Amino acid sequence: MSFPFRKMSGIVNIPILEISQEEFRKVMTERREPLVLRGSDLGSCTRTWSPEKLSERLNPRQVRVHVGQEQDLDFRTKNFKYCDIDIKELVKRAQNKTNEEFFIDKSEIYYLRSISGDSRNLQVSNLDQDFPEISSDFKIPDLFPPDQMFSSVLRISSGGVRIWTHYDVTDNVYCQITGRKSAVLWPPSQANNMYLQGDKSMVADIDSPGSEFPLFPVSNRWEAELEPGDILFIPSLWFHNMKAHDFGVAVNVFWKELESKFYDPKDYYGNKELVPGAKSLTMLDNIIKQLTLLPPQYADFYARRCVEKLEKKCYLKD
Ligand SMILES: O=C(O)CCC(=O)C(=O)O
């Protein structure tokens, strides 16, 4: 097997492997780069989670969804609202291009990222607890130690929905059950070029970022076209941006690669900074406060010395 497979444009095609979960787990653990496992057994969900069958199998319950008029959801302009809807109604509406019943307008799009509890009592998502009537349809891939599992998240989206570029601090296998999706990823080493605000990139249009974001890596990216039944490994800290081509259902399973003490105990989504990372960012704010006490040319000098020290001590060698 040779990795990765490059296209002419400098875009990396994420390898699609048709091997056993055991072999995939080995490759995944060794390489810690995005990979797709195709043709693996995800349980009966790949047959029974068509929109019709899924809405028959689900019990009615209210879920909170993103609802927008534009397909590309943008956290900066907040071009979406959160609305509560019965899950059966969500499945019904999300498969249509237009609906007679709506929150904003007939052609609005829907996106569910399941959460457990409510805003006053948020809990980590878990398919078994949140959707027990369908959870046994989905077989959690045997790709990580079960005691390191963090969450299992149900995602339902209208065709066309694109989720903004972000990273998570946990490892993730994104299991596409129904529908097709494009996934675009960038390595953590691109962090300086991603124009981050917290865990999210401010760049809304990844193909044409605009002059505000001159360093955004349009070509240095990894891509995969996901089909129903595919499992995409998204290693922690890899930036990802996903676009649904049609009505889609997915479950992603997150787990903690590192010891528990490194993760924020109040992290319900798997995207809060790792404890030493968060502490370092806070200390950096203090460093900036100190340096800006100095005249600019002195601040510049000491800032460069700090960066050099960090580069020497902490950057990975290429
Ligand atoms: O459902 C999607 O398309 C987005 C998935 C995602 O953002 C994630 O796995 O962190």
Side-chain angles (χ1 to χ4, degrees):
M1 249 178 296
S2 64
F3 293 96
F5 305 116
R6 280 178 196 281
K7 281 191 211 162
M8 294 305 285
S9 58
I11 290 173
V12 179
N13 281 336
I14 297 174
I16 297 178
L17 308 179
E18 297 190 43
I19 54 180
S20 69
Q21 289 193 358
E22 199 183 337
E23 288 168 302
F24 189 80
R25 185 173 170 159
K26 263 194 230 136
V27 183
M28 203 181 91
T29 316
E30 262 168 40
R31 299 194 61 83
R32 292 200 54 78
E33 285 177 350
L35 293 169
V36 172
L37 176 58
R38 182 160 288 169
S40 196
D41 181 15
L42 283 172
S44 60
C45 56
T46 47
R47 295 184 300 282
T48 57
W49 288 8
S50 64
E52 301 72 29
K53 289 191 187 143
L54 185 61
S55 61
E56 266 168 38
R57 297 182 47 65
L58 281 163
N59 294 336
R61 62 166 70 66
Q62 293 287 300
V63 284
R64 179 148 296 185
V65 292
H66 298 68
V67 180
Q69 287 168 295
E70 289 167 65
Q71 294 186 331
D72 287 10
L73 297 181
D74 182 352
F75 80 98
R76 273 178 97 194
T77 56
K78 284 269 179 318
N79 62 351
F80 57 87
K81 298 209 292 193
Y82 290 106
C83 301
D84 293 330
I85 185 171
D86 186 276
I87 192 157
K88 284 171 173 290
E89 179 67 13
L90 165 69
V91 172
K92 193 176 107 197
R93 288 196 205 172
Q95 60 185 294
N96 299 330
K97 284 213 157 44
T98 58
N99 285 290
E100 286 314 310
E101 287 188 72
F102 52 82
F103 295 102
I104 312 169
D105 75 27
K106 276 184 175 201
S107 50
E108 66 195 17
I109 52 85
Y110 302 90
Y111 180 71
L112 167 75
R113 188 262 185 233
S114 68
I115 50 159
S116 291
D118 54 36
S119 51
R120 272 160 301 150
N121 175 31
L122 211 54
Q123 285 161 32
V124 172
S125 287
N126 180 301
L127 195 69
D128 284 341
Q129 280 159 28
D130 304 339
F131 302 96
E133 69 277 26
I134 58 163
S135 68
S136 61
D137 302 350
F138 173 72
K139 255 197 208 164
I140 296 180
D142 183 18
L143 296 174
F144 57 91
D147 60 343
Q148 285 171 228
M149 177 157 153
F150 173 66
S151 65
S152 43
V153 179
L154 179 68
R155 310 210 181 232
I156 298 179
S157 70
S158 301
V161 168
R162 182 190 288 281
I163 299 300
W164 53 75
T165 309
H166 66 282
Y167 67 91
D168 301 296
V169 298
T170 43
D171 281 344
N172 173 3
V173 279
Y174 189 91
C175 307
Q176 183 71 26
I177 313 294
T178 309
R180 292 162 307 117
K181 196 162 263 192
S182 294
V184 181
L185 286 82
W186 296 261
S189 58
Q190 288 295 324
N192 290 354
N193 303 328
M194 300 303 289
Y195 301 92
L196 294 176
Q197 192 170 307
D199 61 319
K200 303 173 185 65
S201 167
M202 294 195 285
V203 177
D205 185 343
I206 60 169
D207 298 315
S208 187
S211 55
E212 217 187 322
F213 308 111
L215 300 177
F216 187 83
V218 173
S219 64
N220 185 7
R221 62 197 213 183
W222 295 50
E223 294 186 350
E225 291 300 320
L226 300 181
E227 293 179 5
D230 282 354
I231 302 176
L232 168 66
F233 171 47
I234 307 179
S236 56
L237 308 183
W238 276 72
F239 301 96
H240 46 286
N241 180 295
M242 317 271 282
K243 179 164 177 77
H245 294 298
D246 26 45
F247 169 82
V249 185
V251 177
N252 55 345
V253 186
F254 293 90
W255 72 97
K256 295 176 173 177
E257 193 216 355
L258 308 176
E259 283 175 63
S260 269
K261 66 176 183 195
F262 290 123
Y263 298 89
D264 185 329
K266 291 214 180 73
D267 185 2
Y268 302 105
Y269 291 101
N271 63 1
K272 277 200 192 299
E273 304 300 351
L274 294 174
V275 174
K279 282 189 183 158
S280 306
L281 291 170
T282 307
M283 287 175 192
L284 187 60
D285 287 339
N286 285 330
I287 292 176
I288 293 169
K289 240 192 228 162
Q290 287 301 316
L291 292 183
T292 48
L293 294 174
L294 292 167
Q297 60 276 42
Y298 291 84
D300 177 283
F301 175 77
Y302 285 109
R304 285 171 198 277
R305 291 201 54 197
C306 290
V307 171
E308 189 204 4
K309 230 176 177 174
L310 281 170
E311 277 191 20
K312 268 201 191 132
K313 282 271 178 204
C314 301
Y315 276 26
L316 286 174
K317 306 279 170 293
D318 285 334

